[in-house]
Amino acid sequence: MRLLPLLTLTLAVLFLPACSDSSSNPSESGGEPGGGVAAAENRRIEIPSPVDGSIVFQLFTPAVMEAGQRYPLVLHSHGFGGSRQTAPTGLIGTLVDNGYYVISIDQRGFGESTGPVRVMDPDAEGRDLVAILDWAETALPQLQRDASGRMMVGSYGSSYGGGYQLLLQAVDPKARLRALVPDITWHDLTESLNPGGAIKSGWALVLVAGGEAGSQGDLDNVIRETLVRGLSSNNFPTPGLDFFRYHSPRYFCDGQAIPEIAFAQGTEIPMTPPIAPPAADILLWQGFPDTLFNVTEAFDNLRCLRARGGDVRLLTHQSGHVLPLSVESLSADLDNVLAALSGAVVVPEFQGPAGANACGGIGREAATLAWFEAKLKGRDAALQQVIPIGDAICLSLADDDAVAVRDIPVGGSDFPVEASTPAFSGLLGVVTSVLGPNLPGGIQAIPLQTFGDEGAVLAGQPTMQLTLSPVIEALAQPECLSAFLPLACDPIVYVGLGYQRDGRWQLIDDQLKPLRGFGTHGSAQAPERLVAVAERLQPGDTVGLLVYGFHPQYLGTFSRDVLVPALTLSGRVQLPLLSPEQIVAEGF
C-alpha cells in the first residue's frame, strides 16, 4: 500500500533542476584590474567541449579584488538532473565574500551544457572538466598559485556534484585540484545500483526520470540499454557492470583495466588508464540515511584516498539521498491502522525523513569554508576551531549526537542468527512484507541482544556470514536450474539491522543488504559486509536482524522464482558495538 504514490511522487518532485538566474551577463572577457579595487563580477561562460558540444559555467569573482593580490579558485557543481548556480547565494556568496573565485558548472547534458550525459565518464565528463581548468588557468590572471606555479584550486558539491571532484582529481594530468569536499557521492556505481546482484530498481527509476527531465543533451543510449535490460531480466547486464565501474573512483583505486565493452548498439573502448589518483586534501561527507550512496561507500573512498597521501577525513550526517515516502507521510490515521494490523511494526516504506546536515556540532557548510581557508590559504586555526576532532572519523548518531573514532569500526561482537520460521521470497514475499514481524510470514525480526542500563553505541561496518537454504532440499541442487524455468531457484531477501523500542521494530538508517541465491554469503575468513549504520541504542532496546522478502527500495527486483516461495536463514553477524576505548570524542 505504501507503493501506490511512490512512482508519481518521485518522478514529479525529486530531481527538479535547480533554479537559475537568466539575467547574468554572457560576456566572456576577463582580466586583472588595472589598479585600485574591483567589484565582484558574475558572468556566464561558454567554451567548446573537447569531446562534443559545449560547456557552460558561471564565473563569480571575489567581492573585493585588489591589484597585485591573488585569489584561489573553488569549483562547484550540481546533483544529477540539476544545473549550475547563477546567483552568488549560499556558500558561493560566502566564498566570494571571503576572497575566492568560484566557478559553478553545468555538467555535460545538464543545464545549458550540451552532449549526451555519460555519468562521469573519464573520456567525456573528465575531459570537459580538465578543459574548464585549462580555461581558468589562462583567463584568471589573479589566480593564486603555489611556489611552483601550480594553481590553488578547491571543489565542492553533493552527489553527482561530489562525483565530478573525484573524477577530476584522477584524470587531470596537472593534478591541479588541491582541496576537495565531496558530499554523498559514490565509490563504485556497480555496488550502488546493483548490490549483491540485485538491482536497486527504486533508485534506478528515479535516476532515469531525473536524468531525462533535467538533461539538455539526453542520457546516453548505453545507460538506457543497461537499465532497461536489467529491469526486464532482473539481472544487470555484464557490459553495464563494466561501464559503471569505469565511471567510479573504484576503477582508479583498484588499478584494474577494463577491456572493450560490447553493448547491443556498439562497442565502448575505455581510453583512460586506471592510474591511482594523486595525493590531495579531501574532506569526505556522507549520510547514514542515504540509501543510494551509503556510508560503506564512503569507508571505501576513505581507505583508497588515504593510501594516496594528503589529509583525508570523513564526517557523516543525517541527510543524503532520502525519499521519505510512506503511508505516514500521506495519512497518519491510515498509518496507525496499518501498524495495528501488522503487529505494531513500521510497515515497509522507501525510507524515513532526512535530518541535519551536520556531524554533532560540526556543520557541513562551515566545515567546507574552513577546509578551503586552511588548505588553500594556509589558515589552519580556522579548521581546528570548526573541526575540533582533528582527523578522527566523525560518526553521526542523530541530529545532535555523534562520536569520533580513530579507525573505521569493522565487525565486532559476534551473534548467531537462526530464523525460527521460514522467510518468504518472490511474490509471496511482496505480500507478506507488509504484515510485520509479529505475524506468521511477515517481516522476520531475529533478536540478537537486549541492552541494559547503559545502552550501547552501534556505529560502523557490520559483517555477516549468512546461509540461505531452501525449505525443500531438492531445490538446492544444481539440477534445479536446468530442470525448470531460468527464473526458478533464485531467491532474494533483504536483510538489515533494526532495533525494538516500545514494542516496535525500526530498521536502522533504512539500510538493507540484498542476499540473492542459495548458499553462504560471506565466510569467517572473508566476511560479507552489511551496510554501515550508526545508532545510539537506549536502555531496554533490543537489536536484531530484520529480513524482508520485498522492499520499495528494490521496487521491481523481488525474486521472480515460482518454485521457492520460502527459505530458511542461518549464520552469524558481527556488530560494531563501540567500546569506550574506541570513542575518542563525543558531545562536540
Side-chain angles (χ1 to χ4, degrees):
M1 280 171 281
R2 291 175 184 265
L3 298 180
L4 294 178
L6 180 61
L7 285 178
T8 302
L9 289 177
T10 53
L11 302 188
V13 305
L14 181 66
F15 283 106
L16 292 176
C19 296
S20 61
D21 176 6
S22 60
S23 63
S24 54
N25 187 347
S27 169
E28 297 187 16
S29 62
E32 183 176 1
V37 176
E41 294 185 47
N42 174 4
R43 292 184 280 139
R44 174 191 181 276
I45 308 293
E46 182 172 359
I47 63 174
S49 163
V51 182
D52 53 29
S54 62
I55 314 162
V56 175
F57 51 90
Q58 204 77 13
L59 171 67
F60 303 90
T61 64
V64 175
M65 295 183 69
E66 298 183 2
Q69 296 299 310
R70 297 291 181 262
Y71 304 92
L73 167 66
V74 171
L75 305 179
H76 162 264
S77 194
H78 53 80
F80 196 76
S83 58
R84 75 189 190 279
Q85 190 169 324
T86 59
T89 56
L91 184 54
I92 287 181
T94 302
L95 289 167
V96 165
D97 289 342
N98 281 273
Y100 292 87
Y101 288 104
V102 180
I103 286 178
S104 185
I105 305 165
D106 276 343
Q107 297 294 336
R108 80 167 16 243
F110 292 115
E112 293 186 78
S113 292
T114 58
V117 176
R118 297 278 299 174
V119 189
M120 294 304 154
D121 184 344
D123 306 321
E125 282 89 353
R127 293 178 64 191
D128 290 345
L129 292 165
V130 171
I132 293 171
L133 284 186
D134 290 343
W135 176 89
E137 187 149 29
T138 59
L140 305 177
Q142 286 188 260
L143 190 64
Q144 184 175 338
R145 302 171 186 270
D146 64 13
S148 68
R150 195 158 58 112
M151 299 165 62
M152 300 296 288
V153 185
S155 61
Y156 78 100
S158 299
S159 188
Y160 206 60
Y164 88 89
Q165 301 176 61
L166 298 179
L167 174 60
L168 179 56
Q169 182 213 5
V171 302
D172 180 19
K174 297 182 180 179
R176 290 168 285 191
L177 206 51
R178 308 292 194 88
L180 295 73
V181 189
D183 175 45
I184 59 171
T185 197
W186 66 91
H187 174 73
D188 181 4
L189 280 174
T190 62
E191 184 65 21
S192 307
L193 300 175
N194 191 56
I199 300 171
K200 202 177 286 181
S201 48
W203 274 113
L205 290 169
V206 168
L207 291 173
V208 170
E212 298 286 10
S215 64
Q216 180 77 15
D218 219 347
L219 289 178
D220 195 285
N221 283 331
V222 297
I223 299 172
R224 290 199 190 92
E225 177 185 326
T226 296
L227 296 178
V228 168
R229 288 176 60 186
L231 294 173
S232 62
S233 68
N234 215 23
N235 288 283
F236 227 60
T238 299
L241 295 174
D242 289 339
F243 178 88
F244 283 118
R245 182 163 69 86
Y246 183 53
H247 296 200
S248 301
R250 177 190 167 188
Y251 170 74
F252 297 99
C253 292
D254 288 356
Q256 297 179 0
I258 294 176
E260 294 183 356
I261 306 173
F263 287 97
Q265 55 199 293
T267 300
E268 296 269 326
I269 303 176
M271 302 297 292
T272 303
I275 299 173
D281 296 329
I282 305 175
L283 183 65
L284 296 164
W285 283 87
Q286 207 83 4
F288 270 107
D290 194 316
T291 56
L292 178 60
F293 305 139
N294 56 54
V295 170
T296 295
E297 297 213 56
F299 287 162
D300 289 338
N301 277 331
L302 181 68
R303 291 188 189 96
C304 166
L305 297 169
R306 276 188 169 175
R308 308 276 75 80
D311 184 358
V312 182
R313 309 187 194 185
L314 171 62
L315 296 94
T316 59
H317 52 66
Q318 293 295 312
S319 187
H321 298 88
V322 174
L323 287 177
L325 298 175
S326 65
V327 172
E328 184 178 13
S329 65
L330 301 175
S331 170
D333 292 337
L334 179 57
D335 186 70
N336 291 333
V337 171
L338 291 175
L341 292 175
S342 67
V345 71
V346 177
V347 182
E349 60 187 12
F350 203 101
Q351 65 187 121
N357 224 307
C359 195
I362 305 173
R364 183 164 64 87
E365 186 167 312
T368 300
L369 175 62
W371 192 255
F372 295 145
E373 289 285 285
K375 304 304 180 181
L376 299 178
K377 294 183 177 181
R379 298 174 179 172
D380 294 333
L383 183 61
Q384 294 167 7
Q385 182 176 3
V386 175
I387 307 180
I389 60 174
D391 62 358
I393 300 167
C394 187
L395 302 176
S396 173
L397 306 174
D399 279 353
D400 56 355
D401 189 10
V403 296
V405 295
R406 282 288 167 211
D407 302 304
I408 299 170
V410 178
S413 302
D414 183 76
F415 297 94
V417 173
E418 191 71 42
S420 58
T421 59
F424 286 111
S425 176
L427 290 174
L428 199 54
V430 175
V431 175
T432 58
S433 283
V434 300
L435 295 179
N438 299 327
L439 294 180
I443 303 167
Q444 285 207 40
I446 305 171
L448 300 176
Q449 181 175 341
T450 299
F451 297 94
D453 294 340
E454 298 299 319
V457 174
L458 171 62
Q461 181 66 72
T463 57
M464 67 177 182
Q465 305 87 42
L466 294 175
T467 300
L468 303 186
S469 304
V471 175
I472 303 173
E473 282 298 324
L475 296 179
Q477 303 305 314
E479 294 79 9
C480 174
L481 294 177
S482 58
F484 300 99
L485 298 172
L487 295 179
C489 308
D490 181 27
I492 302 175
V493 294
Y494 307 93
V495 297
L497 296 175
Y499 63 85
Q500 187 182 45
R501 183 178 300 163
D502 298 327
R504 297 187 70 173
W505 282 96
Q506 175 68 51
L507 182 64
I508 297 176
D509 293 328
D510 298 303
Q511 297 296 348
L512 290 170
K513 170 78 173 182
L515 300 181
R516 185 170 189 173
F518 291 125
T520 300
H521 299 259
S523 66
Q525 295 74 29
E528 191 159 333
R529 298 183 296 182
L530 290 162
V531 181
V533 294
E535 187 75 30
R536 188 179 292 276
L537 299 167
Q538 304 301 316
D541 284 354
T542 298
V543 68
L545 188 72
L546 301 186
V547 185
Y548 298 73
F550 165 81
H551 197 277
Q553 292 176 26
Y554 296 82
L555 190 61
T557 316
F558 53 87
S559 173
R560 302 176 191 181
D561 189 335
V562 296
L563 294 177
V564 186
L567 52 88
T568 60
L569 185 146
S570 61
R572 310 191 74 82
V573 297
Q574 296 78 43
L575 305 185
L577 297 168
L578 301 186
S579 66
E581 293 74 25
Q582 288 176 283
I583 299 173
V584 299
E586 58 183 317
F588 44 85

